[in-house]
Amino acid sequence: MEDIKKLEEFQAKIDAEIKIEPKDWMPEDYRKHLQRQISQHAHSEIIGMQPEGNWLLRAPSLRAKVVLLAKIQDEAGHGLYLYSAAETLGKSRTEYLNELKTGKAKYSSIFNYPTLTWADMGAVGWLVDGAAIVNQVSLQRTSYGPYARGMVKICKEESFHQRQGYEIIADMAKGTPEQKEMAQDALNRFWWPSIMMFGPHDSDSPNTGNAVKWKIKRATNDQLRQSFIDKTVHQAEIIGLTIPDPDLKWNEERGSYDFGEMDWDEFWSVVKGGGPCSKQRLKHYNDAHNNGEWVREAAKAYTDKQTSKQNVA
Amino acid sequence: MTKNEALVKYCLRLGDSSLILGQRMAEWCSNGPVLEEDIAMSNIGLDLFGQSRTMLTYAGEIEGKDRTENDFAFKRLEREFFNNLMSERPNGHFGDTVVRNLFLSAHTYHLYKKLSSSSDNTIAAFAAKSLKEVTYHLRHSAEWVVRLGDGTKESHSKTQQSVNDLWEYTADLFAMNEVDELLIKENIAIDLNEIKPLWDNTINEVLERATLTRPEDSFMQKGSLNGMHSEALGHLLTEMQFLPRAYPDAKW
Amino acid sequence: MSNTDSQGPIWEVFIQSKPGLAHKHVGNLHAADKEMALQNARDLYTRRQEGTCIWVVPFEAIVSSTPEDDEAFFEPSNDKAYRTPIHYVMPEGAKHI
């Protein structure tokens, strides 16, 4: 009985746009949903360092190198902000990282695609960060306080990420024929995976129901995807690149672009670990983590020694 | 050798050492022992690239042949780089990296302190700004060397090995030639013999806190002043210079 | 939450953005000890010139009130608007007061 009353009070707070804070009562499913969503978001930031890190050492100018390094560094920082938010839900970072290490937890499938040329640094910043930003802007209003505050900070810091990517691809699109070809090729490879970042159609999305009712999600997958496509088409046009979708067409009535169907077989295959780089990304993370084991142990041993010295003194 | 020729070489030494070490720091990206350290290493890398850009740009100005920071970074060959040998040492494990960085940041810390009053205004301003950055690099690497040295048995022995392995590259940090001679006379450069005892003090202090032993001087590597490097540099440059070399007509 | 995990204990981070302003809570991080916590806080939370001073505080040292405390803690001040200036009616035309 009490739970029903609590649940009603909880829903009333959500409806009144009052943020839920860590020590507030919350339904177990709300907690679980957030633990999963925030940690997946954090894992995505961390794994997302790898495809861009792949070109960091080969950046073609010193400016490009520092910009990319600062951007990847932000991603590590944003992963940390998100783990912090997720930890307020009563699970430690180590537990979340264990789920990542063992492949139990998911991260955004987009990072299981390879970055084959420097133009991919443009496509990743422009499209992948662009799609992420659409999602994150909407999540600034999510109902869980620590997640919403994290998103506000992250959105503010990421404001340069998409611009740096667009700058790279725009420069290449007006460069030598080889550069332009690389730019178009990057767009061809990253377009569909990027718009699939928003997840399955609302009609096929099992987690949407409660997430919308509880205002964890403030917009649906299809709404966010549409908003991203509407923004991006013009950006492609003005730099002379073609979006690889023959069905893409302005719909006057809807005031939006119609677009073709995504390859959902590929989507689900990548989600289930069948992406070109799925194994590689996870192995890279695990190797780094395992190689650091002795360092973490040493830091802890040193602290323990200092503490026991203090206790004796 | 004219004063300007010497100054160009001197700027390249400083700029190349920052550049090459910066590239090494960038290699740590997504490979750190904890995420917090990934971020720290990126910060150090960003500082170093910034330092390098200032010095390479200045070298271009003095040289007067319209070479930019990118021309210097991406279009020179192995024998035309003047970074010290320590900066090109591969990262190895985390202990190797922090010991290398300790040796280097203790060097730049004392060097930049003195260079802040160089008679060359650009060098003096560069040194004053960079000093703030390397003060943090020194603190970061020293604190880690202490933790690894005085941590577990495993970390102690690994880190002692790092110190032993890297020791033979320390003398190269203090090597001087006619470039120094000329610029010291002009009060532009610093006599590295003045830096050596300061560096010794810092290193001895840190090693002692870390319960590590300072190796005896024996065989010492040398050669960076003449662009004589280890095999490691060529591989680093191959990777770093790939795009501008593969697409010489492209702008990025 | 376990503090014996491999990431080290949690430290809450407070940054003063300008001399004279209060330290504001910005988030937290994991570190083995206080020096590392301070360095990591610098690297993580001041990437964009956010700070002039950093405090790091062990998470366990922070005691938080709970929602159950709300009534007793915060409601007693609800009927004491006389602590705020808008409670007082000033004569018409009075300025700078």
Side-chain angles (χ1 to χ4, degrees):
Chain A
M1 274 323 274
E2 203 190 344
D3 269 8
I4 294 179
K5 190 168 163 267
K6 279 183 175 162
L7 194 59
E8 279 169 5
E9 281 171 10
F10 174 81
Q11 191 62 49
K13 268 168 93 173
I14 299 268
D15 293 342
E17 297 288 336
I18 297 170
K19 297 280 183 236
I20 306 301
E21 294 297 335
K23 285 183 186 294
D24 292 343
W25 184 88
M26 62 187 83
E28 218 27 52
D29 283 349
Y30 180 83
R31 183 184 299 275
K32 288 233 163 67
H33 188 108
L34 280 166
Q35 284 176 338
R36 191 182 63 239
Q37 180 170 335
I38 303 174
S39 65
Q40 281 182 9
H41 198 161
H43 300 331
S44 300
E45 298 279 355
I46 301 309
I47 298 293
M49 296 167 71
Q50 292 180 38
E52 290 180 286
N54 182 39
W55 279 91
L56 179 57
L57 302 174
R58 292 176 287 174
S61 72
L62 293 179
R63 177 177 179 271
K65 195 187 287 287
V66 294
V67 168
L68 189 59
L69 182 53
K71 175 173 187 279
I72 303 174
Q73 184 193 39
D74 270 352
E75 276 148 20
H78 297 167
L80 289 187
Y81 300 165
L82 286 160
Y83 285 125
S84 292
E87 283 190 301
T88 63
L89 293 157
K91 221 160 133 178
S92 71
R93 192 202 287 178
T94 300
E95 291 174 86
Y96 289 120
L97 290 177
N98 277 337
E99 292 174 356
L100 172 63
K101 270 164 57 182
T102 54
K104 192 182 155 214
K106 302 268 180 277
Y107 53 84
S108 183
S109 296
I110 192 80
F111 302 119
N112 288 328
Y113 290 88
T115 51
L116 300 177
T117 72
W118 174 251
D120 291 10
M121 295 303 97
V124 168
W126 174 36
L127 302 174
V128 176
D129 282 82
I133 288 163
V134 168
N135 190 33
Q136 289 175 164
V137 164
S138 145
L139 283 172
Q140 292 182 102
R141 292 172 52 241
T142 191
S143 60
Y144 187 56
Y147 193 23
R149 289 192 286 277
M151 278 299 117
V152 169
K153 207 169 157 75
I154 288 172
C155 285
K156 204 168 128 199
E157 295 190 348
E158 288 201 354
S159 55
F160 86 86
H161 291 191
Q162 195 188 13
R163 295 171 73 107
Q164 72 90 31
Y166 190 55
E167 183 187 82
I168 289 173
I169 208 153
D171 282 349
M172 291 181 73
K174 63 169 201 260
T176 65
E178 281 167 318
Q179 283 179 302
K180 177 154 191 192
E181 199 180 310
M182 270 192 265
Q184 182 62 53
D185 172 58
L187 173 57
N188 293 350
R189 283 181 289 110
F190 275 94
W191 174 254
W192 292 104
S194 298
I195 66 170
M196 286 196 278
M197 280 173 71
F198 295 98
H201 283 308
D202 297 346
S203 50
D204 303 321
S205 182
N207 293 324
T208 299
N210 277 339
V212 170
K213 188 175 88 187
W214 288 333
K215 299 191 179 172
I216 295 174
K217 276 180 91 101
R218 303 305 308 246
T220 69
N221 294 353
D222 284 332
Q223 287 166 344
L224 293 169
R225 181 168 18 241
Q226 185 72 59
S227 135
F228 171 70
I229 291 174
D230 290 347
K231 266 186 223 191
T232 310
V233 173
H234 178 66
Q235 292 166 1
E237 281 167 0
I238 60 167
I239 59 173
L241 296 181
T242 310
I243 289 179
D245 178 359
D247 297 324
L248 191 75
K249 207 173 74 213
W250 178 250
N251 182 325
E252 196 63 55
E253 208 174 299
R254 289 203 305 129
S256 270
Y257 282 93
D258 292 337
F259 53 95
E261 198 43 71
M262 292 154 275
D263 181 350
W264 293 110
D265 290 341
E266 177 183 316
F267 175 81
W268 288 113
S269 155
V270 180
V271 167
K272 288 175 185 145
C277 297
S278 303
K279 288 202 184 71
Q280 177 191 333
R281 302 285 187 243
L282 204 55
K283 182 174 184 305
H284 181 110
Y285 176 78
N286 274 304
D287 287 350
H289 192 263
N290 295 340
N291 290 339
E293 187 71 39
W294 69 277
V295 176
R296 296 190 296 273
E297 279 171 8
K300 185 167 185 312
Y302 175 81
T303 310
D304 292 346
K305 279 189 213 173
Q306 300 303 309
T307 317
S308 63
K309 265 186 218 162
Q310 262 174 12
N311 290 346
V312 172
Chain B
M1 182 179 284
T2 67
K3 181 189 128 192
N4 274 359
E5 282 164 0
L7 191 50
V8 169
K9 281 239 164 120
Y10 196 73
C11 292
L12 290 179
R13 264 193 223 168
L14 298 177
D16 288 349
S17 297
S18 302
L19 174 63
I20 301 303
L21 185 62
Q23 182 81 353
R24 289 294 188 215
M25 296 316 287
E27 289 174 22
W28 271 105
C29 191
S30 81
N31 291 305
V34 286
L35 286 165
E36 278 83 352
E37 283 310 312
D38 246 89
I39 292 171
M41 309 264 225
S42 294
N43 266 347
I44 294 172
L46 287 168
D47 288 342
L48 292 164
F49 287 129
Q51 292 169 14
S52 164
R53 295 177 73 182
T54 307
M55 274 302 102
L56 297 185
T57 303
Y58 188 45
E61 282 168 24
I62 303 165
E63 188 191 49
K65 291 181 189 162
D66 282 337
R67 283 208 276 183
T68 65
E69 56 177 30
N70 288 326
D71 292 331
F72 282 114
F74 297 98
K75 296 194 175 151
R76 277 180 300 155
L77 298 167
E78 290 88 338
R79 294 293 311 276
E80 298 167 309
F81 273 79
F82 297 102
N83 58 287
N84 55 52
L85 299 176
M86 187 72 82
S87 61
E88 72 201 39
R89 289 290 81 216
N91 284 339
H93 57 61
F94 190 73
D96 294 327
T97 288
V98 293
V99 169
R100 178 196 64 202
N101 288 9
L102 169 69
F103 290 158
L104 284 168
S105 55
H107 180 255
T108 44
Y109 173 78
H110 292 297
L111 177 63
Y112 293 166
K113 237 182 180 172
K114 301 248 173 190
L115 273 183
S116 306
S117 43
S118 166
S119 69
D120 181 290
N121 290 336
T122 308
I123 299 262
F126 159 83
K129 177 176 177 290
S130 305
L131 175 62
K132 296 176 191 163
E133 296 167 345
V134 300
T135 301
Y136 182 72
H137 304 176
L138 175 57
R139 178 169 169 175
H140 180 265
S141 53
E143 291 298 333
W144 267 114
V145 169
V146 168
R147 275 153 187 75
L148 298 181
D150 194 13
T152 62
K153 240 177 150 171
E154 183 193 6
S155 70
H156 177 86
S157 82
K158 273 188 144 133
T159 312
Q160 182 65 57
Q161 193 60 48
S162 311
V163 171
N164 298 349
D165 290 347
L166 289 164
W167 195 254
E168 67 191 41
Y169 297 95
T170 55
D172 181 67
L173 296 172
F174 301 99
M176 293 187 284
N177 62 9
E178 69 277 13
V179 169
D180 302 80
E181 209 175 299
L182 206 154
L183 296 180
I184 290 168
K185 267 190 219 141
E186 304 273 346
N187 291 318
I188 293 174
I190 302 299
D191 186 343
L192 292 172
N193 292 321
E194 287 176 35
I195 305 294
K196 182 68 173 31
L198 302 170
W199 183 88
D200 279 332
N201 276 343
T202 303
I203 297 302
N204 291 345
E205 239 170 66
V206 176
L207 291 181
E208 195 189 320
R209 272 182 69 207
T211 70
L212 294 168
T213 311
R214 180 183 164 120
E216 295 296 322
D217 288 358
S218 56
F219 167 71
M220 287 289 180
Q221 301 275 356
K222 54 175 197 259
S224 71
L225 298 185
N226 302 314
M228 286 281 288
H229 293 275
S230 63
E231 290 176 351
L233 184 69
H235 294 281
L236 183 149
L237 295 181
T238 301
E239 186 171 43
M240 184 173 82
Q241 298 181 335
F242 160 67
L243 280 170
R245 291 204 181 276
Y247 303 94
D249 303 325
K251 286 205 180 69
W252 306 92
Chain C
M1 224 170 289
S2 158
N3 275 341
T4 54
D5 64 47
S6 69
Q7 301 285 312
I10 299 177
W11 303 76
E12 296 297 329
V13 182
F14 299 78
I15 308 259
Q16 184 192 43
S17 57
K18 267 196 249 180
L21 293 185
H23 286 64
K24 200 175 150 206
H25 183 242
V26 292
N28 63 27
L29 48 77
H30 290 251
D33 59 57
K34 57 189 180 182
E35 168 67 21
M36 283 296 149
L38 194 59
Q39 290 189 11
N40 289 336
R42 179 263 186 197
D43 282 314
L44 178 56
Y45 288 106
T46 65
R47 303 199 300 287
R48 290 173 170 79
Q49 307 162 322
E50 289 95 337
T52 53
C53 181
I54 302 174
W55 290 346
V56 289
V57 179
F59 171 73
E60 306 97 88
I62 292 181
V63 183
S64 170
S65 67
T66 64
E68 289 75 54
D69 298 327
D70 280 5
E71 291 182 16
F73 273 38
F74 308 117
E75 286 185 19
S77 60
N78 285 357
D79 62 350
K80 298 181 180 65
Y82 47 77
R83 289 196 177 106
T84 59
I86 50 161
H87 185 70
Y88 302 92
V89 182
M90 293 291 105
E92 203 160 326
K95 280 183 185 169
H96 307 300
I97 178 158

